[in-house]
Amino acid sequence: MSLISKDLALKTLLVYPEFPDTYWSFRHALWFEGKRSAFPPLGLMTVSALLPDSWKRRLVDMNVRPLKTSDIKWADVVFASAMIVQKDSLRHVVELCKAAGKRVVIGGPYVSTSRGHLPEADHIFLGEAETTLPEFVRDLENGQPKRIYQAPERPALSTTPIPHFQLADLKRYSAMSIQYSRGCPFQCEFCDIIEIYGRVPRTKSNEQMLAELDALFNLGWRGTVFIVDDNFIGNKRNVKRLLPVLADWSERHGHPFSFIPEASVNLAEDDELLEGMRRARFRRVFLGIETPVEASLKEAQKGQNIRGDLLNSVRKIQSYGMQVMAGFIVGFDNDPEDIFERQIEFIRESAIPLAMVGLLTALPDTQLWRRLEREGRLLTESSGNNTDGSLNFIPKMDAARLVEGYKTILRTIYSPGEYYQRALNCLERVITVEPEPRGGGLIRDARALSLVVLALGIRDRARAEFWRYLGQAYARHRENFADAIKLAAMGYHLRKLAEDGAQIGGG
Ligand code: B12
Ligand code: SF4
């Protein structure tokens, strides 16, 4: 018996559960800009585009607005997506929707990697959904939907439709997201990306990318576009073909976007790539540096970070007009006793204001997870948040010392004096001639500036450092003054997190 008719306009509620405050939430900085969340849920916007056109859709990103009873009542079917950090909120959403008698479908990275502990949804999607969702729709029409849909293979991204960006309330986000590739050729031991998306990077075509940019442009988006690929340069050959096309598109559209990708450090080895990125207006890049300690990099199978001098690599990328953001990790077996001082020193020297430092975490289904399990050192499932100060394995270093040292790093690098100095050094090194495109216009800029001044220049106990910073930024980097303000706001977020006991040390 058919559960739905082919022509029926099924009402589809897409729910993105809440996540806690972490490095990436930038929650303490977003309110200056009048935004509610940093990025929209691209996974769900992609899911929406894979469903039949005739279905009605509503997206609720709980990081932007609460999920209301009326939303649930309205829906015939609920689709929810989550990362591990959202698991409690996901469970709550599933319970609420099931109690209201709705059909609930779940998927995304948490669901794909944590099969054993999932909430009681009707349908569970493991892996990428490009082929399984159309199959599910057909099964539903035929009255025989399955409980579990496991993607049989990793789909070519040519099958990925343009995400339904129009579902998101664009003005509530500080950046929009697009995806160019999935997968990464490297084999870092702690990484779950290669387990979820594989080691052969698959890319979209240039035409697909331009169509996505057109879609965002036509919706009125102006400003930052985050390229969510875990390693944007995973397939260098294709990226080199994309970049000139991207630069040309930007030129023709009056440079409406600036791009932020994540990339591996070997980006620094390739001048052609760097030049292409500069031309296409890449203004920041997030690098996986992890540690300056060679033995720990070897242990992590991160050979690409040993090939050159890491500080020089950062400096070179900065010289191409890109601010470097980066991830750092402590807790490797080979970390020496002075690892904390060495990380602090490296972050200081590299002029990376937005340094995300985490404790090593064993994510499910990773090589690290399997090794620690073999060695009898696994303690528990990961909280999914590598910056909350909790350990899910027995480290080689004394655990209390490791957590204490970790807290010392955070307190030091985000302290106002250290942070503002790094931000100034970064502005010094990153020379950009064109101002960054911003979506809000003058009034929004003026409002954001006055809120920053109120919070950091008047209310904050570190106001003296703020004014010194602002004075120097104005004197030396007037052309990038907006960047300087933005960096101050982001630094405030990171300091707030570091000061918030609940975030560091697991409560
Ligand atoms: C963008 C991103 C973010 C963004 C925004 C999240 C958002 N609003 O979407 C931000 C920066 C906020 C973020 C933060 C974090 N993130 Co994040 N993030 C990503 C990233 C890079 C891309 C996600 C994305 O948009 N992908 C593109 C879409 C199209 O892919 P997708 O989500 O997989 O969706 C496909 C399928 O999974 C499926 N699908 C997805 N959802 C659903 C739902 C249903 C019902 C169905 C049927 C199918 C389905 O269909 C899609 C098409 O195939 C991923 C890595 C990655 N490559 O995906 C990490 C990732 C999801 N993040 C991760 C982590 C750990 C974090 C942080 C905890 C890091 C930190 N310590 O701060 C924080 C936590 C959140 C917070 N408090 O800030 C992990 C999650 C691990 C896990 N197993 O859960 C990932 C996998 C990265 C990694 N290497 O570990 N993140
Ligand atoms: S470079 Fe990044 S995405 Fe690639 S395997 Fe290493 S950690 Fe994972």
Side-chain angles (χ1 to χ4, degrees):
M1 193 192 74
S2 172
L3 294 175
I4 55 162
S5 127
K6 279 199 168 92
D7 318 309
L8 197 73
L10 216 58
K11 293 193 208 100
T12 316
L13 179 65
L14 301 142
V15 184
Y16 197 53
E18 239 179 311
F19 44 62
D21 282 358
T22 64
Y23 172 94
W24 276 110
S25 72
F26 285 116
R27 206 159 282 174
H28 298 289
L30 286 171
W31 72 273
F32 293 127
E33 286 184 87
K35 307 289 183 184
R36 301 300 293 268
S37 186
F39 311 101
L42 189 60
L44 281 177
M45 297 192 294
T46 308
V47 163
S48 170
L50 287 162
L51 296 173
D53 288 343
S54 59
W55 292 18
K56 296 203 165 84
R57 297 99 170 122
R58 186 184 290 183
L59 172 71
V60 176
D61 178 352
M62 293 171 72
N63 302 289
V64 157
R65 75 147 171 101
L67 174 65
K68 297 188 216 130
T69 317
S70 56
D71 295 317
I72 302 175
K73 259 196 197 147
W74 170 85
D76 296 315
V77 56
V78 180
F79 286 79
S81 174
M83 306 185 251
I84 299 178
V85 271
Q86 292 159 293
K87 64 185 170 194
D88 294 339
S89 178
L90 173 74
R91 189 167 296 279
H92 186 58
V93 168
V94 173
E95 281 165 10
L96 276 179
C97 297
K98 287 301 298 167
K102 304 297 169 177
R103 182 186 294 275
V104 180
V105 189
I106 56 172
Y110 167 58
V111 175
S112 297
T113 57
S114 313
R115 311 171 193 190
H117 330 262
L118 296 173
E120 282 301 310
D122 298 288
H123 309 286
I124 292 171
F125 278 70
L126 307 172
E128 297 162 61
E130 273 76 359
T131 52
T132 44
L133 258 181
E135 183 190 335
F136 168 67
V137 172
R138 280 194 304 274
D139 291 350
L140 208 57
E141 284 168 357
N142 296 331
Q144 291 177 327
K146 296 195 279 270
R147 174 130 204 282
I148 297 192
Y149 285 85
Q150 163 85 65
E153 69 221 326
R154 299 196 170 99
L157 293 199
S158 54
T159 59
T160 304
I162 300 175
H164 281 176
F165 299 115
Q166 67 273 22
L167 290 180
D169 187 357
L170 268 53
K171 59 182 180 310
R172 306 260 182 141
Y173 295 94
S174 65
M176 280 295 122
S177 304
I178 56 172
Q179 184 175 47
Y180 175 55
S181 67
R182 293 185 196 155
C184 173
F186 295 114
Q187 47 182 328
C188 308
E189 192 193 29
F190 54 80
C191 179
D192 61 342
I193 286 303
I194 44 181
E195 312 288 339
I196 310 177
Y197 303 100
R199 287 195 54 211
V200 181
R202 292 157 287 145
T203 65
K204 289 180 183 166
S205 67
N206 291 354
E207 291 71 29
Q208 280 176 289
M209 290 306 282
L210 295 195
E212 294 196 13
L213 295 182
D214 282 338
L216 282 175
F217 183 82
N218 292 335
L219 283 169
W221 181 254
R222 301 293 179 270
T224 307
V225 172
F226 179 39
I227 303 180
V228 304
D229 313 8
D230 288 277
N231 190 358
F232 176 64
I233 62 162
N235 185 331
K236 280 189 177 187
R237 195 195 53 178
N238 286 6
V239 177
K240 282 181 184 171
R241 288 182 187 154
L242 170 71
L243 286 172
V245 177
L246 212 57
D248 180 55
W249 183 93
S250 287
E251 186 80 46
R252 278 188 286 114
H253 289 78
H255 300 289
F257 305 145
S258 66
F259 298 101
I260 310 182
E262 298 184 39
S264 44
V265 172
N266 57 316
L267 169 63
E269 296 165 10
D270 199 319
D271 289 89
E272 186 189 341
L273 258 183
L274 287 165
E275 185 51 37
M277 288 167 79
R278 176 179 17 215
R279 282 202 51 229
R281 307 267 169 138
F282 282 67
R283 300 296 288 261
R284 285 181 198 87
V285 57
F286 186 93
L287 299 179
I289 292 180
E290 327 305 3
T291 176
V293 177
E294 197 170 315
S296 299
L297 286 170
K298 280 193 180 135
E299 166 194 333
Q301 296 170 194
K302 202 141 189 146
Q304 70 272 27
N305 285 22
I306 304 174
R307 300 210 288 250
D309 177 82
L310 281 172
L311 281 175
N312 283 343
S313 298
V314 172
R315 193 180 268 279
K316 176 144 178 216
I317 296 171
Q318 289 164 329
S319 78
Y320 276 85
M322 284 179 272
Q323 282 180 21
V324 172
M325 304 157 72
F328 296 89
I329 297 177
V330 289
F332 293 113
D333 289 354
N334 283 285
D335 277 357
E337 284 295 307
D338 64 350
I339 181 63
F340 312 110
E341 293 77 25
R342 285 178 68 176
Q343 289 280 22
I344 292 169
E345 187 58 25
F346 184 94
I347 292 166
R348 196 180 282 145
E349 287 293 306
S350 58
I352 297 177
L354 303 174
M356 177 179 90
V357 190
L359 279 176
L360 183 64
T361 303
L363 287 170
D365 246 359
T366 53
Q367 301 172 79
L368 177 66
W369 174 278
R370 294 189 281 272
R371 172 166 70 86
L372 293 171
E373 196 168 43
R374 276 197 310 276
E375 293 174 2
R377 294 167 63 195
L378 262 185
L379 291 175
T380 157
E381 202 191 358
S382 149
S383 68
N385 174 3
N386 61 353
T387 56
D388 70 358
S390 59
L391 276 168
N392 76 333
F393 70 100
I394 301 168
K396 280 272 156 77
M397 186 183 284
D398 172 66
R401 178 166 156 60
L402 178 56
V403 173
E404 199 39 57
Y406 172 61
K407 288 187 200 176
T408 306
I409 298 183
L410 295 195
R411 271 196 304 266
T412 312
I413 64 170
Y414 301 146
S415 68
E418 285 268 343
Y419 180 84
Y420 286 134
Q421 189 55 52
R422 280 204 312 282
L424 282 173
N425 294 348
C426 165
L427 291 168
E428 194 77 45
R429 289 189 192 182
V430 178
I431 309 293
T432 44
V433 273
E434 317 83 7
E436 193 164 357
R438 289 193 304 283
L442 273 179
I443 296 191
R444 196 179 277 265
D445 281 358
R447 185 179 171 275
L449 178 62
S450 30
L451 286 176
V452 171
V453 166
L454 186 70
L456 296 179
I458 297 173
R459 294 212 184 116
D460 193 21
R461 62 183 159 68
R463 51 191 169 269
E465 281 103 327
F466 172 76
W467 287 114
R468 207 170 307 127
Y469 165 72
L470 214 63
Q472 292 189 30
Y474 189 73
R476 296 185 354 223
H477 309 289
R478 206 163 303 170
E479 68 297 346
N480 284 329
F481 195 62
D483 255 357
I485 300 288
K486 199 169 184 168
L487 280 173
M490 286 171 155
Y492 178 71
H493 163 76
L494 296 171
R495 171 153 53 96
K496 281 275 162 212
L497 278 189
E499 284 170 1
D500 183 351
Q503 289 303 314
I504 310 158

